[in-house]
Amino acid sequence: MAFKEVKIEELSFNPFTKISKEWMLITAGDEEKHNTMTASWGGVGIMWGMNVATAYIRPQRYTKEFVDAEDMFTLSFFKEDYRKALNLCGSKSGRDGDKDKEAGLTPYYTDGTTAYEEADLIFVCRKLYAQEMKPECFTVDGPDEKWYPGKDYHTMYMGEIVKVLVRE
């Protein structure tokens, strides 16, 4: 699989559709060991004068261990043809086996981290900031009760998008 690097300003997509409807894989780790998970929560924007992406991971997710331990992570976006693979990556743990193989995905190593050859778009991110969400920080009623009945609050990761790769 061949990718080409493009400037982020050359991209044209709706981030609300890309993240919430099409989903993405959050991946961290290297050629020796990595893990991935499906996500439909996140964002892109500008922070501290940098192009950034945010991703949110619950404490029980195996991928969190990798994102916490590494300086880099990737966000990989796919065509609809890969919906079954994304469903699998969101419902099975990498602790229990080779999720890549089971999902039919091929690791693509770049910049000391891992993405996937089947992706159409990859953001390579340098972790800038991580913060656990806290119940006392909610400013409205509803989200805490609806999304966190088990009190398993996400950690928010903000990464500088240091490279954008698109399928050639």
Side-chain angles (χ1 to χ4, degrees):
M1 170 79 300
F3 289 101
K4 69 176 180 177
E5 186 173 354
V6 299
K7 293 181 179 182
I8 200 163
E9 296 82 10
E10 296 174 14
L11 296 179
S12 177
F13 66 91
N14 180 328
F16 298 98
T17 301
K18 181 90 31 213
I19 295 168
S20 72
K21 304 285 189 246
E22 296 176 11
W23 307 343
M24 62 187 172
L25 290 181
I26 304 169
T27 311
D30 57 23
E31 294 181 40
E32 285 186 35
K33 194 169 185 182
H34 62 270
N35 199 64
T36 194
M37 63 173 270
T38 302
S40 62
W41 290 7
V44 293
I46 305 295
M47 186 70 178
W48 305 309
M50 294 178 265
N51 298 315
V52 298
T54 57
Y56 301 85
I57 305 177
R58 289 188 192 265
Q60 63 268 36
R61 297 302 298 259
Y62 187 44
T63 303
K64 185 177 187 312
E65 296 175 26
F66 292 83
V67 175
D68 286 342
E70 302 293 332
D71 294 331
M72 305 291 284
F73 64 92
T74 63
L75 302 178
S76 298
F77 300 90
F78 299 79
K79 287 194 183 306
E80 185 62 30
D81 301 351
Y82 289 93
R83 180 64 63 169
K84 186 175 178 182
L86 292 171
N87 274 318
L88 186 140
C89 291
S91 61
K92 292 212 171 189
S93 175
R95 287 185 186 100
D96 303 328
D98 187 342
K99 196 163 35 170
D100 292 346
K101 185 175 181 181
E102 193 172 344
L105 296 174
T106 311
Y108 176 79
Y109 305 106
T110 181
D111 299 88
T113 191
T114 306
Y116 290 95
E117 288 187 12
E118 293 80 7
D120 282 334
L121 171 65
I122 298 168
F123 290 161
V124 179
C125 301
R126 178 175 62 103
K127 190 172 58 179
L128 298 173
Y129 186 81
Q131 182 172 356
E132 292 179 25
M133 297 179 79
K134 298 177 183 172
E136 63 269 19
C137 293
F138 284 96
T139 60
V140 296
D141 292 333
D144 188 14
E145 295 79 14
K146 179 178 181 178
W147 298 104
Y148 301 102
K151 303 303 179 197
D152 55 342
Y153 297 98
H154 287 88
T155 297
M156 178 197 69
Y157 296 92
M158 184 182 306
E160 177 186 14
I161 302 169
V162 296
K163 186 182 281 186
V164 177
L165 300 170
V166 294
R167 179 187 295 270
E168 284 194 291

